Amino acid sequence: MAEPSRVIHIRNVGHEISESDLLQVVQPFGTVAKLVMLRAKNQALVQMEDLAASVSAIQYYTTIQPSVRGRNVYLQYSSHQELTTDQSSHGRNPDQDEPNRILLVTVHHMLYPMTVEVLHQVFSPYGFVEKIVTFQKSAGFQALIQFESRQSGIQAAGALHGRNIYDGCCQLDIQYSNLTELQVHYNNDRSRDFTNPSLPTEQRPRSSQPGFNDPSGLFGFQQPGVRHCNVPSRFSLFTFVITLKIYLNFFLLIVFLGCRCICTGL
């Protein structure tokens, strides 16, 4: 076991577990000075007010397995004797980041589909949402949400960070993005520019050969030195046959009339 420390390291902290849940685990043993949620690692760091409180908590949970929301969590002494500002910043608390009108939102414990419409409904009460871009990363479903004003982004982050969209699931983990402007090229279920509703819904078709661009397919012009063969349609073929029969009948009529004139002359 590591050397006793005021800082307790808690593992297996699921995304459904909140800060208040962890406080209920350790507060019976003393005052909590700091608490940092490390969401990306499913961990947390808790600094007690004094060493005696930390020792009491570790000794108690050595014999009794603590469980939070049906999940077993594991406590041990941290290798740190005190939480610093740098360590606390890993908790991704939006209050500790540089405020911005663009928010990076990670949705944890997602049991229901997450779309642009759902996110817009959740965030629009705090200000005009200009753009939304969603994507899938190793951390899970994420979205970039751009407000019209910085103040709207601050209000949304403060009100929604750590909250669930649905009861018991789809928890919002919000931090400020370092981007200044989102680039949205398509309006569909994955991205939306609410300031430009005329954007196309999908990308234009590319070449049938993967990995190669086809300018003639994208821009409608023929590449130099490339000849295209036009395949006749059923209608074109039908027209050709009818025209051929008319010419053939006309030719036979001319031959017939010519032969009749010759015979009459004889």
Side-chain angles (χ1 to χ4, degrees), residues 94-152:
D95 294 335
Q96 298 169 335
D97 299 328
E98 182 64 29
N100 189 9
R101 67 177 182 144
I102 301 179
L103 305 179
L104 174 59
V105 180
T106 304
V107 182
H108 300 298
H109 197 49
M110 195 172 73
L111 299 184
Y112 299 101
M114 197 58 49
T115 63
V116 168
E117 286 76 12
V118 172
L119 291 171
H120 184 263
Q121 185 177 359
V122 171
F123 284 87
S124 59
Y126 302 94
F128 179 69
V129 176
E130 293 184 333
K131 302 174 183 179
I132 297 178
V133 177
T134 65
F135 46 92
Q136 196 74 29
K137 290 288 189 178
S138 57
F141 178 90
Q142 292 185 313
L144 287 167
I145 299 177
Q146 177 176 314
F147 282 94
E148 183 179 30
S149 68
R150 177 172 169 267
Q151 186 60 34
S152 296

Side-chain angles (χ1 to χ4, degrees), residues 60-94:
Y60 179 79
Y61 290 120
T62 300
T63 57
I64 296 179
Q65 174 62 57
S67 178
V68 181
R69 295 185 180 269
R71 177 192 289 262
N72 290 340
V73 295
Y74 305 94
L75 282 69
Q76 63 186 41
Y77 292 119
S78 171
S79 58
H80 304 283
Q81 293 296 318
E82 185 175 359
L83 292 180
T84 63
T85 304
D86 291 339
Q87 292 163 344
S88 299
S89 64
H90 295 291
R92 294 166 61 173
N93 187 332

Side-chain angles (χ1 to χ4, degrees), residues 8 16-17 24 30 54 80 101 133 144 150 168 186 219 223 232 243 247 257:
I8 299 175
E16 71 277 9
I17 298 176
Q24 294 179 16
S54 175
H80 304 283
R101 67 177 182 144
V133 177
L144 287 167
R150 177 172 169 267
Y186 310 105
F219 304 109
Q223 297 184 36
T243 305
Y247 278 110
L257 291 177

